[in-house]
Amino acid sequence: MRFLRAVLSAVVATLPVLVVLLIPAFVRGDSSPVSFIGIGGTLLNAAFIAAVILIPRVNGWLDPEVPDWTSTTAMATTARVWRKRLWLALLAVLALLAVFAAGQTAAYFVARSVPAVVDGAFVYARFLAPELVVYAVGYVLSAATYVLLIRVLARKAAD
């Protein structure tokens, strides 16, 4: 149950990422005559960094554990983990990056097998498949992994 609430927290925290991913001009240079891929990449990075920073608060709101993990104390608890257990917190970030890379790789293979541009025409349904894979595995699952590891580290730091 905790995993499902962590995934739900990650979905809520990464909704701005999904909005950017669903606009082809922000993520593909060949989708329309006007490309905003530079702006889209910057928005994706900023939205994901904000999601990683804010996911403990969202998770504390959706899955509270009194007194150490509520929406008001989760950020302070996360900061305490980063101060007291820096190397383990960095390993949590490394796990986030590994899952994120797996999502990017899976989306690459989906995009190679189902190209979005067919006979010179852009097909949005084919564009959507790899974007949803990268969102579900790359962004949501990596953020859920991070918040679950930080929660475990917070529990160990309190002991």
Side-chain angles (χ1 to χ4, degrees):
M1 212 51 185
R2 176 141 295 155
F3 175 73
L4 293 177
R5 285 183 237 148
V7 168
L8 182 60
S9 301
V11 168
V12 170
T14 59
L15 277 177
V17 170
L18 180 63
V19 169
V20 174
L21 283 175
L22 293 179
I23 302 171
F26 282 156
V27 292
R28 288 190 62 108
D30 60 350
S31 63
S32 65
V34 179
S35 174
F36 299 108
I37 198 163
I39 296 170
T42 304
L43 287 174
L44 276 174
N45 290 335
F48 188 55
I49 289 170
V52 169
I53 292 170
L54 293 176
I55 194 166
R57 179 176 288 253
V58 174
N59 188 257
W61 175 60
L62 291 174
D63 188 15
E65 188 176 320
V66 179
D68 290 331
W69 199 264
T70 63
S71 64
T72 55
T73 61
M75 296 295 280
T77 303
T78 302
R80 191 169 38 255
V81 167
W82 275 94
R83 278 193 312 271
K84 290 184 177 181
R85 309 185 113 203
L86 176 65
W87 293 108
L88 293 176
L90 287 174
L91 285 176
V93 171
L94 189 63
L96 175 139
L97 292 175
V99 174
F100 182 76
Q104 293 285 339
T105 304
Y108 169 77
F109 286 121
V110 169
R112 294 292 293 172
S113 64
V114 185
V117 178
V118 179
D119 296 329
F122 179 76
V123 181
Y124 189 78
R126 290 175 157 233
F127 161 78
L128 196 59
E131 299 304 318
L132 290 179
V133 168
V134 78
Y135 177 71
V137 179
Y139 290 101
V140 172
L141 195 58
S142 67
T145 301
Y146 171 75
V147 77
L148 286 173
L149 289 173
I150 290 295
R151 277 187 82 137
V152 168
L153 292 173
R155 194 172 312 125
K156 300 284 185 188
D159 293 342

XYZ file of all heavy atoms in Angstrom, residues 31-113:
625
model
N 8.225 17.788 -35.137
C 6.779 17.608 -35.006
C 5.974 18.728 -35.642
O 4.836 18.526 -36.029
C 6.400 17.486 -33.524
O 6.729 18.686 -32.855
N 6.536 19.898 -35.732
C 5.819 21.027 -36.307
C 6.831 21.983 -36.926
O 8.030 21.856 -36.701
C 5.005 21.741 -35.215
O 5.860 22.313 -34.261
N 6.359 22.946 -37.705
C 7.305 23.896 -38.302
C 8.047 24.728 -37.269
O 9.180 25.132 -37.479
C 6.421 24.784 -39.173
C 5.073 24.186 -39.209
C 4.992 23.152 -38.147
N 7.419 24.981 -36.132
C 8.050 25.763 -35.069
C 8.424 24.813 -33.935
O 7.596 24.066 -33.438
C 7.083 26.854 -34.553
C 7.720 27.643 -33.435
C 6.655 27.761 -35.679
N 9.682 24.837 -33.555
C 10.153 23.951 -32.491
C 10.601 24.770 -31.288
O 11.358 25.717 -31.418
C 11.320 23.105 -32.995
O 11.850 22.350 -31.945
N 10.114 24.363 -30.148
C 10.500 24.987 -28.883
C 11.236 23.984 -28.014
O 11.058 23.960 -26.807
C 9.265 25.509 -28.144
C 8.506 26.553 -28.900
C 7.270 26.259 -29.456
C 9.021 27.820 -29.055
C 6.563 27.218 -30.150
C 8.329 28.788 -29.747
C 7.088 28.488 -30.306
N 12.052 23.144 -28.633
C 12.703 22.058 -27.904
C 13.655 22.571 -26.823
O 13.793 21.955 -25.768
C 13.397 21.090 -28.874
C 13.666 19.776 -28.176
C 14.644 21.662 -29.446
C 13.960 18.636 -29.111
N 14.281 23.706 -27.038
C 15.155 24.282 -26.012
C 14.370 24.712 -24.787
O 14.776 24.466 -23.644
N 13.230 25.328 -25.016
C 12.363 25.728 -23.905
C 11.785 24.490 -23.232
O 11.710 24.410 -22.006
C 11.244 26.658 -24.411
C 11.840 27.949 -24.947
C 10.234 26.944 -23.311
C 10.859 28.815 -25.685
N 11.381 23.514 -24.037
C 10.805 22.292 -23.484
C 11.784 21.526 -22.614
O 11.419 21.036 -21.542
N 13.029 21.424 -23.053
C 14.032 20.736 -22.248
C 14.279 21.436 -20.916
O 14.396 20.791 -19.868
N 14.320 22.759 -20.969
C 14.502 23.526 -19.741
C 13.303 23.366 -18.808
O 13.468 23.179 -17.598
C 14.705 25.019 -20.075
O 15.806 25.143 -20.968
C 14.942 25.836 -18.831
N 12.097 23.400 -19.360
C 10.897 23.212 -18.544
C 10.844 21.813 -17.935
O 10.459 21.652 -16.777
C 9.647 23.463 -19.380
C 9.346 24.908 -19.745
C 8.159 24.988 -20.693
C 9.088 25.724 -18.499
N 11.219 20.795 -18.727
C 11.231 19.428 -18.201
C 12.204 19.281 -17.043
O 11.873 18.695 -16.003
C 11.604 18.430 -19.302
C 10.487 17.962 -20.207
C 11.045 17.092 -21.315
C 9.437 17.222 -19.434
N 13.401 19.807 -17.211
C 14.395 19.713 -16.143
C 13.941 20.452 -14.891
O 14.058 19.934 -13.776
C 15.743 20.248 -16.616
C 16.386 19.343 -17.634
O 16.117 18.149 -17.691
N 17.243 19.913 -18.465
N 13.431 21.654 -15.063
C 12.983 22.442 -13.911
C 11.806 21.783 -13.212
O 11.762 21.719 -11.972
C 12.607 23.853 -14.359
N 10.862 21.263 -13.984
C 9.687 20.622 -13.383
C 10.072 19.343 -12.649
O 9.538 19.052 -11.576
C 8.647 20.322 -14.454
N 11.026 18.584 -13.187
C 11.419 17.344 -12.520
C 12.232 17.628 -11.260
O 12.049 16.963 -10.229
C 12.202 16.442 -13.475
C 12.473 15.078 -12.893
C 11.445 14.294 -12.423
C 13.757 14.592 -12.822
C 11.686 13.038 -11.882
C 14.015 13.344 -12.287
C 12.974 12.568 -11.819
N 13.097 18.603 -11.303
C 13.858 18.965 -10.095
C 12.908 19.468 -9.013
O 13.034 19.100 -7.844
C 14.951 19.993 -10.431
C 16.055 19.314 -11.245
C 15.527 20.618 -9.172
C 17.063 20.264 -11.835
N 11.922 20.276 -9.402
C 10.931 20.751 -8.434
C 10.123 19.581 -7.873
O 9.822 19.546 -6.670
C 10.008 21.765 -9.087
N 9.799 18.608 -8.721
C 9.045 17.436 -8.253
C 9.859 16.623 -7.252
O 9.324 16.172 -6.239
C 8.643 16.564 -9.442
N 11.143 16.448 -7.515
C 11.992 15.686 -6.593
C 12.122 16.421 -5.262
O 12.122 15.808 -4.198
C 13.379 15.422 -7.227
C 14.353 14.870 -6.207
C 13.235 14.451 -8.389
N 12.186 17.727 -5.304
C 12.281 18.503 -4.065
C 10.967 18.459 -3.293
O 10.960 18.330 -2.063
C 12.703 19.953 -4.374
C 14.146 19.978 -4.878
C 12.536 20.849 -3.148
C 14.585 21.308 -5.436
N 9.843 18.543 -3.988
C 8.545 18.637 -3.325
C 7.869 17.307 -3.035
O 6.872 17.277 -2.317
C 7.606 19.505 -4.164
C 7.993 20.969 -4.271
C 7.045 21.701 -5.198
C 8.005 21.611 -2.903
N 8.374 16.204 -3.568
C 7.674 14.933 -3.383
C 7.586 14.488 -1.924
O 6.591 13.876 -1.549
C 8.228 13.822 -4.297
C 7.252 12.659 -4.314
C 9.608 13.396 -3.881
C 7.473 11.658 -5.378
N 8.546 14.785 -1.047
C 8.324 14.410 0.355
C 7.097 15.098 0.968
O 6.338 14.469 1.697
C 9.610 14.856 1.055
C 10.637 14.846 -0.001
C 9.923 15.270 -1.239
N 6.881 16.358 0.627
C 5.704 17.074 1.151
C 4.416 16.464 0.612
O 3.457 16.254 1.361
C 5.779 18.547 0.784
C 4.578 19.330 1.292
C 4.745 20.786 0.990
N 5.764 21.334 1.852
C 5.525 22.131 2.878
N 4.294 22.475 3.147
N 6.501 22.577 3.614
N 4.390 16.162 -0.678
C 3.202 15.556 -1.281
C 2.962 14.173 -0.672
O 1.828 13.812 -0.349
C 3.349 15.468 -2.818
C 2.195 14.709 -3.444
C 3.458 16.855 -3.419
N 4.025 13.404 -0.492
C 3.889 12.080 0.096
C 3.455 12.161 1.555
O 2.674 11.328 2.017
C 5.201 11.314 -0.035
C 5.060 9.881 0.392
O 5.489 9.520 1.486
N 4.455 9.068 -0.452
N 3.929 13.156 2.270
C 3.483 13.351 3.643
C 2.016 13.711 3.730
O 1.332 13.381 4.690
N 1.520 14.362 2.711
C 0.104 14.716 2.653
C -0.737 13.496 2.314
O -1.796 13.280 2.901
C -0.082 15.830 1.624
C -1.498 16.217 1.365
C -2.405 16.703 2.257
C -2.166 16.144 0.112
N -3.594 16.944 1.636
C -3.483 16.604 0.318
C -1.785 15.739 -1.157
C -4.418 16.665 -0.703
C -2.712 15.815 -2.176
C -4.002 16.270 -1.948
N -0.266 12.654 1.384
C -1.045 11.494 0.942
C -0.835 10.253 1.809
O -1.697 9.384 1.849
C -0.692 11.158 -0.511
C -1.146 12.177 -1.546
C -0.612 11.820 -2.920
C -2.652 12.278 -1.576
N 0.303 10.149 2.471
C 0.615 8.972 3.278
C 1.310 9.395 4.573
O 2.502 9.155 4.756
C 1.502 8.025 2.460
C 1.710 6.690 3.143
O 0.965 6.373 4.080
O 2.624 5.960 2.733
N 0.578 10.043 5.481
C 1.225 10.557 6.695
C 1.608 9.448 7.674
O 0.978 8.397 7.717
C 0.159 11.467 7.299
C -1.132 10.939 6.795
C -0.846 10.351 5.448
N 2.656 9.713 8.402
C 3.112 8.844 9.482
C 3.520 9.767 10.627
O 4.605 10.330 10.623
C 4.293 8.003 9.003
C 4.726 6.944 9.970
C 5.839 6.103 9.376
O 5.776 5.789 8.177
O 6.769 5.792 10.117
N 2.618 9.927 11.573
C 2.797 10.894 12.651
C 3.875 10.394 13.601
O 3.911 9.221 13.925
C 1.450 11.100 13.374
C 1.582 12.078 14.518
C 0.396 11.566 12.391
N 4.768 11.237 14.077
C 4.930 12.680 13.909
C 5.969 13.050 12.866
O 6.097 14.211 12.523
C 5.390 13.125 15.293
C 6.249 12.000 15.761
C 5.605 10.752 15.185
N 6.744 12.076 12.378
C 7.899 12.418 11.546
C 7.584 12.662 10.071
O 8.383 13.279 9.381
C 8.965 11.321 11.637
C 9.627 11.298 13.000
O 9.698 12.369 13.620
O 10.042 10.218 13.425
N 6.478 12.155 9.571
C 6.252 12.261 8.139
C 4.827 12.722 7.865
O 3.934 11.935 7.572
C 6.520 10.915 7.460
C 6.746 11.041 6.000
C 5.811 10.874 5.017
C 7.954 11.359 5.331
N 6.360 11.080 3.792
C 7.696 11.372 3.959
C 9.242 11.645 5.762
C 8.674 11.658 3.018
C 10.203 11.914 4.823
C 9.918 11.914 3.459
N 4.608 14.015 7.969
C 3.337 14.632 7.582
C 3.660 15.697 6.546
O 4.831 15.941 6.240
C 2.633 15.263 8.797
O 3.448 16.312 9.309
C 2.358 14.238 9.887
N 2.628 16.331 6.031
C 2.895 17.332 4.988
C 3.703 18.510 5.526
O 4.412 19.166 4.770
C 1.585 17.823 4.375
O 0.814 18.489 5.338
N 3.631 18.775 6.806
C 4.373 19.900 7.363
C 5.767 19.518 7.841
O 6.654 20.369 7.904
C 3.603 20.533 8.538
O 3.321 19.523 9.506
C 2.311 21.155 8.065
N 5.986 18.249 8.179
C 7.289 17.840 8.720
C 8.157 17.061 7.738
O 9.325 16.824 8.024
C 7.107 16.982 9.979
O 6.367 15.799 9.626
C 6.394 17.744 11.066
N 7.607 16.661 6.604
C 8.358 15.806 5.676
C 9.582 16.510 5.089
O 10.638 15.891 4.925
C 7.456 15.312 4.558
N 9.461 17.791 4.792
C 10.600 18.510 4.225
C 11.728 18.640 5.245
O 12.902 18.475 4.911
C 10.171 19.891 3.725
C 9.181 19.845 2.581
S 9.828 19.131 1.079
C 10.732 20.492 0.447
N 11.373 18.911 6.493
C 12.388 19.012 7.542
C 13.025 17.655 7.812
O 14.238 17.562 8.031
C 11.773 19.568 8.822
N 12.224 16.604 7.761
C 12.758 15.259 7.955
C 13.701 14.885 6.821
O 14.760 14.289 7.048
C 11.600 14.241 8.049
O 10.733 14.639 9.116
C 12.110 12.853 8.314
N 13.344 15.246 5.600
C 14.217 14.993 4.452
C 15.520 15.774 4.589
O 16.601 15.234 4.305
C 13.502 15.366 3.142
O 12.295 14.613 3.050
C 14.362 15.089 1.945
N 15.437 17.013 5.020
C 16.653 17.816 5.223
C 17.537 17.181 6.295
O 18.766 17.167 6.168
C 16.288 19.237 5.605
N 16.906 16.642 7.337
C 17.674 15.976 8.385
C 18.380 14.728 7.843
O 19.525 14.448 8.184
C 16.751 15.619 9.560
C 17.459 15.166 10.782
C 16.581 15.074 12.021
N 15.223 14.594 11.827
C 14.132 15.372 11.845
N 14.247 16.661 12.052
N 12.934 14.858 11.669
N 17.707 13.987 6.964
C 18.339 12.824 6.329
C 19.533 13.265 5.503
O 20.602 12.656 5.550
C 17.327 12.051 5.448
C 18.023 11.055 4.544
C 16.301 11.355 6.316
N 19.377 14.347 4.756
C 20.471 14.840 3.925
C 21.643 15.341 4.768
O 22.787 15.260 4.352
C 19.985 15.937 2.975
C 19.411 15.368 1.727
C 18.109 15.093 1.462
C 20.140 14.971 0.567
N 17.962 14.554 0.217
C 19.206 14.471 -0.364
C 21.472 14.985 0.216
C 19.578 13.999 -1.608
C 21.836 14.521 -1.032
C 20.901 14.028 -1.931
N 21.366 15.853 5.954
C 22.453 16.308 6.830
C 23.141 15.145 7.537
O 24.360 15.096 7.607
C 21.913 17.282 7.881
C 21.764 18.687 7.401
C 21.525 19.655 8.544
N 20.502 19.228 9.478
C 19.206 19.496 9.371
N 18.784 20.198 8.336
N 18.347 19.096 10.271
N 22.357 14.205 8.058
C 22.932 13.154 8.891
C 23.404 11.929 8.103
O 24.317 11.248 8.539
C 21.904 12.689 9.928
C 21.626 13.728 10.982
C 20.684 13.183 12.014
C 20.472 14.211 13.111
N 19.573 13.710 14.140
N 22.785 11.656 6.985
C 23.102 10.452 6.215
C 23.313 10.810 4.746
O 22.638 10.297 3.865
C 21.963 9.446 6.351
C 21.600 9.202 7.802
C 20.595 8.156 7.951
N 21.290 7.062 8.615
C 20.920 5.820 8.571
N 19.868 5.478 7.897
N 21.598 4.894 9.195
N 24.264 11.682 4.521
C 24.495 12.224 3.184
C 24.773 11.143 2.152
O 24.202 11.144 1.067
C 25.642 13.238 3.222
C 26.047 13.822 1.869
C 24.901 14.635 1.296
C 27.290 14.646 1.999
N 25.636 10.206 2.476
C 26.020 9.193 1.493
C 24.851 8.284 1.148
O 24.701 7.892 -0.017
C 27.223 8.396 1.984
C 28.432 9.251 2.041
C 29.054 9.729 3.157
C 29.132 9.797 0.923
N 30.107 10.545 2.809
C 30.182 10.595 1.423
C 28.990 9.706 -0.449
C 31.070 11.279 0.616
C 29.877 10.386 -1.262
C 30.899 11.160 -0.727
N 24.029 7.963 2.107
C 22.860 7.140 1.813
C 21.820 7.932 1.027
O 21.145 7.382 0.152
C 22.271 6.587 3.108
C 23.174 5.586 3.835
C 22.557 5.181 5.154
C 23.450 4.374 2.963
N 21.698 9.224 1.301
C 20.794 10.062 0.519
C 21.282 10.175 -0.929
O 20.480 10.172 -1.871
C 20.661 11.437 1.148
N 22.596 10.248 -1.102
C 23.144 10.265 -2.465
C 22.890 8.940 -3.179
O 22.671 8.922 -4.398
C 24.633 10.594 -2.431
C 24.978 12.047 -2.117
C 26.486 12.212 -1.959
C 24.440 12.970 -3.174
N 22.900 7.856 -2.439
C 22.547 6.565 -3.043
C 21.076 6.531 -3.454
O 20.724 5.904 -4.460
C 22.868 5.417 -2.086
C 24.346 5.068 -1.957
C 24.535 3.979 -0.900
C 24.930 4.639 -3.285
N 20.216 7.203 -2.701
C 18.805 7.303 -3.095
C 18.675 8.080 -4.403
O 17.890 7.718 -5.285
C 17.993 7.968 -1.985
N 19.468 9.137 -4.543
C 19.465 9.895 -5.802
C 20.033 9.044 -6.940
O 19.545 9.100 -8.069
C 20.251 11.217 -5.648
C 20.451 11.902 -6.976
C 19.524 12.136 -4.695
N 21.035 8.257 -6.637
C 21.592 7.354 -7.654
C 20.551 6.330 -8.100
O 20.450 6.018 -9.296
C 22.838 6.664 -7.107
C 23.647 5.853 -8.096
C 24.198 6.742 -9.198
C 24.776 5.136 -7.389
N 19.762 5.821 -7.172
C 18.672 4.907 -7.533
C 17.642 5.621 -8.399
O 17.148 5.062 -9.387
C 18.018 4.341 -6.277
N 17.331 6.876 -8.056
C 16.424 7.675 -8.872
C 16.957 7.799 -10.296
O 16.229 7.601 -11.266
C 16.251 9.059 -8.238
C 15.437 10.078 -9.012
C 14.551 10.845 -8.072
C 16.309 11.040 -9.776
N 18.238 8.102 -10.418
C 18.836 8.259 -11.747
C 18.869 6.946 -12.518
O 18.696 6.936 -13.744
C 20.238 8.851 -11.622
C 20.298 10.296 -11.145
C 21.742 10.734 -10.935
C 19.585 11.215 -12.111
N 19.082 5.830 -11.839
C 19.101 4.536 -12.517
C 17.724 4.183 -13.068
O 17.594 3.730 -14.218
C 19.592 3.446 -11.556
N 16.687 4.397 -12.274
C 15.326 4.124 -12.749
C 14.952 5.100 -13.861
O 14.327 4.717 -14.857
C 14.324 4.174 -11.581
C 12.894 4.039 -12.070
C 14.640 3.093 -10.566
N 15.357 6.357 -13.717
C 15.098 7.350 -14.755
C 15.763 6.946 -16.072
O 15.152 7.035 -17.138
C 15.598 8.721 -14.293
C 15.336 9.820 -15.267
C 14.075 10.351 -15.405
C 16.358 10.325 -16.050
C 13.823 11.372 -16.309
C 16.119 11.341 -16.957
C 14.849 11.861 -17.087
N 17.018 6.484 -15.999
C 17.716 6.040 -17.207
C 17.037 4.824 -17.825
O 16.960 4.706 -19.061
C 19.176 5.732 -16.881
N 16.530 3.929 -16.995
C 15.798 2.765 -17.527
C 14.542 3.209 -18.259
O 14.197 2.662 -19.323
C 15.451 1.811 -16.393
N 13.859 4.210 -17.728
C 12.674 4.743 -18.398
C 13.007 5.415 -19.714
O 12.296 5.253 -20.706
N 14.100 6.160 -19.741
C 14.529 6.792 -20.987
C 14.890 5.739 -22.032
O 14.571 5.883 -23.211
C 15.736 7.702 -20.720
C 15.433 8.913 -19.878
C 14.687 9.985 -20.650
O 14.703 10.028 -21.865
N 14.025 10.856 -19.926
N 15.564 4.689 -21.595
C 15.959 3.619 -22.520
C 14.737 2.896 -23.066
O 14.653 2.619 -24.269
C 16.898 2.632 -21.808
O 18.015 3.357 -21.288
C 17.382 1.556 -22.750
N 13.792 2.582 -22.204
C 12.567 1.919 -22.660
C 11.808 2.796 -23.651
O 11.316 2.306 -24.679
C 11.689 1.581 -21.460
N 11.732 4.085 -23.378
C 11.045 5.004 -24.293
C 11.776 5.093 -25.628
O 11.146 5.199 -26.684
C 10.922 6.377 -23.664
N 13.099 5.030 -25.596
C 13.869 5.052 -26.836
C 13.515 3.851 -27.707
O 13.293 3.990 -28.916
C 15.369 5.065 -26.522
C 16.236 4.817 -27.730
C 16.462 5.826 -28.655
C 16.802 3.564 -27.968
C 17.241 5.607 -29.770
C 17.580 3.331 -29.081
C 17.803 4.357 -29.987
O 18.561 4.126 -31.095
N 13.463 2.683 -27.093
C 13.150 1.480 -27.872
C 11.709 1.495 -28.383
O 11.440 1.029 -29.493
C 13.440 0.221 -27.068
C 14.906 -0.068 -26.951
C 15.515 -0.151 -25.711
C 15.691 -0.237 -28.079
C 16.867 -0.398 -25.600
C 17.047 -0.486 -27.985
C 17.635 -0.568 -26.740
N 10.787 2.035 -27.608
C 9.407 2.175 -28.085
C 9.362 3.146 -29.258
O 8.700 2.895 -30.273
C 8.469 2.628 -26.943
C 7.108 3.029 -27.473
C 8.328 1.540 -25.897
N 10.078 4.262 -29.150
C 10.087 5.255 -30.233
C 10.743 4.703 -31.494
O 10.346 5.062 -32.606
C 10.797 6.521 -29.781
N 11.742 3.860 -31.335
C 12.386 3.251 -32.512
C 11.463 2.252 -33.189
O 11.467 2.135 -34.413
C 13.684 2.557 -32.109
C 14.769 3.469 -31.630
C 15.321 4.334 -32.692
N 16.037 3.520 -33.665
C 16.505 3.962 -34.800
N 16.332 5.223 -35.111
N 17.135 3.177 -35.621
N 10.665 1.539 -32.418
C 9.786 0.537 -33.017
C 8.492 1.139 -33.559
O 7.881 0.573 -34.460
C 9.459 -0.565 -31.996
O 8.728 -0.030 -30.927
